[in-house]
Amino acid sequence: MITQPLTILDHHYQELSIDGKDVIRGLTEKPKSLPPKYFYDDPGSQLFEQICELPEYYPTRTEAWILQQYADEIAEITNCCELIELGSGSSTKTQALLTAYQKISGNCRYLPIDVSGGILKTSVLQLQEKYPDIAIHGLLGTYEQALVHLESNYLQSRMLFFLGSSLGNFNPEECDIFLNQVSQTLQPGDYFLLGIDLQKPTDILEAAYNDSQEVTAAFNLNMLSHLNWRFQGNFDISLFRHQAVYNQVDHQIEMYLHCQKSHWVNLEILDLKVHFLEGESILTEISRKFDLRTMEKQLQSKGLNTVKTWTDEKGWFGLILCQVE
């Protein structure tokens, strides 16, 4: 087996993609916010893998169950194609799909795409060992970089997939822009497989993001450690507290870091000095919860027509397979 190299979409990736303008904008707004992409340095990615194993965190195991049950059916519908995953992480759930596609053909290609180089490289090497008949080529980059790159590098029919209900991290406007990009990246006959977390009772949702072992709290706080490392900051992690609440009007989990004491923070590389008041909060993530039929209509408006949907027995999570007109 030939070991394939990890590909960086842009050789100046660190300078161009992580320039910190979004940090400056978010921390000078009222209320303050930070983009979720700063969760995913290598320690953050490892913490998220731990979150996925928590008893309260149902999305990963529920989606994994759906994939295990229906991966063969998905492969049968789409046939052999280039498999492209946005935000692949460790690609753990994806293995159900890879196993299914390996059964039907030896010519499949899998392109996992993620912003965390460490976890991406590890998962690619492991998957190359486990699936020697599938060409596996990791791409390091953001969703935006990946979609632009893929648009100009067309090899064969494709299935682009976006699992874990990561779409829920986009507000409605960002979601609309993203789905437009997906539609533009694919050609007629190509497929898009989307995982979405469905609406459910508040107590179940809030427990999933405020786990008893406080792993999610560590994950949220690690964003500040990431900013310290990347931008030579001096965030004192002990001065912030994690909380996730469910907004029943907008159907979204909102994850916050609450400041416990008034103080200043300096990010030297960004030439940014920020004052935090006691009780002030940083919004670090939203996680929208969807209605399956409403999402199907939105996808259809982008030329992504539903072929089939699958859910778990409780109706907690949905998987939608679409095809481009």
Side-chain angles (χ1 to χ4, degrees):
M1 180 185 67
I2 298 174
T3 301
Q4 299 172 10
L6 189 72
T7 296
I8 299 177
L9 297 184
D10 191 305
H11 293 295
H12 302 290
Y13 170 74
Q14 299 292 350
E15 293 80 15
L16 292 179
S17 295
I18 313 293
D19 59 11
K21 289 180 181 176
D22 48 5
V23 173
I24 296 171
R25 183 168 58 251
L27 292 182
T28 53
E29 288 177 339
K30 290 186 179 181
K32 292 180 171 64
S33 65
L34 285 168
K37 73 180 183 184
Y38 290 102
F39 284 131
Y40 299 103
D41 61 351
D42 288 346
S45 294
Q46 291 162 6
L47 283 166
F48 184 71
E49 293 300 315
Q50 293 177 39
I51 288 171
C52 292
E53 300 296 324
L54 294 169
E56 299 99 329
Y57 195 75
Y58 64 85
T60 301
R61 65 174 177 271
T62 307
E63 185 179 38
W65 181 89
I66 297 171
L67 287 167
Q68 288 160 6
Q69 293 295 311
Y70 301 109
D72 287 344
E73 185 177 354
I74 293 168
E76 184 180 343
I77 292 171
T78 63
N79 210 341
C80 182
C81 54
E82 185 177 60
L83 307 170
I84 304 165
E85 181 172 13
L86 297 174
S88 57
S90 64
S91 300
T92 303
K93 291 176 295 187
T94 311
Q95 293 185 39
L97 288 170
L98 295 180
T99 299
Y101 281 97
Q102 188 166 251
K103 292 177 188 175
I104 63 172
S105 174
N107 297 319
C108 287
R109 185 171 185 242
Y110 172 52
L111 302 179
I113 299 165
D114 204 88
V115 294
S116 175
I119 200 164
L120 180 62
K121 184 173 183 179
T122 298
S123 64
V124 165
L125 294 174
Q126 290 173 345
L127 291 172
Q128 285 173 341
E129 291 290 333
K130 188 168 183 177
Y131 299 98
D133 295 332
I134 297 178
I136 300 171
H137 194 182
L139 297 176
L140 178 64
T142 63
Y143 303 147
E144 295 84 359
Q145 281 181 306
L147 291 170
V148 169
H149 174 82
L150 293 168
E151 198 171 359
S152 61
N153 288 270
Y154 211 89
L155 296 179
Q156 63 184 96
S157 61
R158 290 173 162 167
M159 182 174 77
L160 183 68
F161 53 106
F162 197 39
L163 303 177
S165 197
S166 298
L167 188 71
N169 297 147
F170 299 150
N171 65 37
E173 181 182 359
E174 292 166 340
C175 179
D176 195 66
I177 292 169
F178 173 78
L179 293 177
N180 280 333
Q181 290 176 311
V182 167
S183 181
Q184 291 163 9
T185 300
L186 301 176
Q187 292 188 0
D190 286 347
Y191 293 92
F192 179 47
L193 182 67
L194 177 65
I196 55 172
D197 197 7
L198 302 178
Q199 294 168 15
K200 58 185 65 65
T202 299
D203 58 338
I204 295 169
L205 289 166
E206 290 192 344
Y209 293 85
N210 294 293
D211 64 275
S212 59
Q213 298 179 48
E214 298 187 350
V215 181
T216 310
F219 172 71
N220 200 7
L221 289 163
N222 180 72
M223 180 184 279
L224 303 184
S225 297
H226 182 192
L227 296 181
N228 281 346
W229 166 75
R230 187 171 291 281
F231 300 117
Q232 294 183 17
N234 65 342
F235 275 104
D236 183 343
I237 310 304
S238 69
L239 296 182
F240 291 86
R241 180 178 61 83
H242 159 82
Q243 185 187 28
V245 296
Y246 185 56
N247 179 331
Q248 297 186 48
V249 175
D250 294 328
H251 302 291
Q252 63 188 29
I253 283 284
E254 296 170 355
M255 204 147 78
Y256 294 97
L257 290 171
H258 299 302
C259 178
Q260 305 299 292
K261 177 183 176 182
S262 295
H263 67 289
W264 287 89
V265 170
N266 187 35
L267 297 165
E268 288 189 15
I269 289 178
L270 301 180
D271 192 25
L272 177 67
K273 195 170 184 180
V274 183
H275 187 245
F276 288 88
L277 296 171
E278 182 178 350
E280 189 173 15
S281 301
I282 312 171
L283 175 66
T284 55
E285 182 180 54
I286 63 168
S287 183
R288 294 165 64 213
K289 308 306 171 185
F290 298 97
D291 174 79
L292 194 60
R293 301 305 165 213
T294 303
M295 177 52 65
E296 286 183 48
K297 290 178 182 177
Q298 185 173 4
L299 290 165
Q300 186 177 24
S301 73
K302 307 299 180 184
L304 300 165
N305 294 323
T306 300
V307 176
K308 194 159 186 178
T309 62
W310 299 271
T311 63
D312 59 288
E313 294 172 345
K314 295 179 179 178
W316 281 6
F317 203 94
L319 203 61
I320 307 174
L321 179 64
C322 308
Q323 190 172 27
V324 180
E325 290 181 333

